[in-house]
Amino acid sequence: MPLWTVHHTPGTFTDEEQQRLASRITDHYEEIGLPRFYVVTVFHEIRPENMYVGGEPTPAGVRITIDHIARHNPDQESRRRTAQWVKRILQPYLERDAGLHWEFSVDETSEDLWMINGLVPPPGGSETEKLWAENNATSPY
């Protein structure tokens, strides 16, 4: 499961932009074989007086944390490619505002502590995971 948590100050994203970004993120993960329902994107609007960078209030800021559970990068080069992909997907939304402070990080979490609808997800690339992707839903196995 990739979980993207996007903390942002007001006016950073319109509702339509949130939908487009969440769809674009999901499309990417589907392209690499994950079921679409594995991908969760959450937008949290934060008042500027509640976001601090370097101990100072930030009038325009975005902080994104990404949790990867279903797949992990095997080496440094693949981690760099993932970081560059994340940057490319975010740039059109975030680099248009010159004064915007934005950053992201990606954590790779153990899949041993992960369930969806009370089920342990099937192994990556397995026939069951492919079935889940095809049906876009969990099913007992």
Side-chain angles (χ1 to χ4, degrees):
M1 155 183 145
L3 167 62
W4 285 52
T5 305
V6 182
H7 302 279
H8 63 89
T9 51
T12 305
F13 301 99
T14 65
D15 291 345
E16 181 182 316
E17 288 170 334
Q18 288 181 20
Q19 174 66 51
R20 280 198 319 256
L21 180 55
S23 292
R24 190 168 174 209
I25 291 164
T26 302
D27 291 346
H28 171 77
Y29 289 107
E30 181 182 39
E31 289 171 9
I32 63 168
L34 293 181
R36 290 183 71 78
F37 70 91
Y38 276 20
V39 185
V40 176
T41 308
V42 179
F43 291 87
H44 288 283
E45 187 171 275
I46 306 294
R47 294 187 343 230
E49 60 270 20
N50 291 334
M51 183 179 277
Y52 291 78
V53 175
E56 298 296 324
T58 302
V62 175
R63 178 64 173 94
I64 300 167
T65 56
I66 304 165
D67 294 318
H68 280 173
I69 302 172
R71 301 288 191 278
H72 296 147
N73 290 296
D75 54 43
Q76 184 177 32
E77 182 54 35
S78 64
R79 287 189 294 276
R80 285 186 180 141
R81 283 192 308 272
T82 295
Q84 289 302 315
W85 168 75
V86 171
K87 178 183 171 185
R88 281 192 309 275
I89 207 166
L90 294 172
Q91 278 179 312
Y93 299 93
L94 303 177
E95 287 195 342
R96 62 183 178 211
D97 298 324
L100 182 71
H101 173 88
W102 63 280
E103 60 182 275
F104 67 85
S105 62
V106 180
D107 293 321
E108 295 183 327
T109 305
S110 171
E111 61 196 35
D112 296 335
L113 298 170
W114 174 40
M115 289 187 172
I116 301 177
N117 295 341
L119 297 173
V120 173
S126 68
E127 290 305 312
T128 303
E129 187 186 59
K130 291 174 187 174
L131 179 65
W132 282 24
E134 182 181 320
N135 294 332
N136 199 32
T138 62
S139 58
Y141 65 100

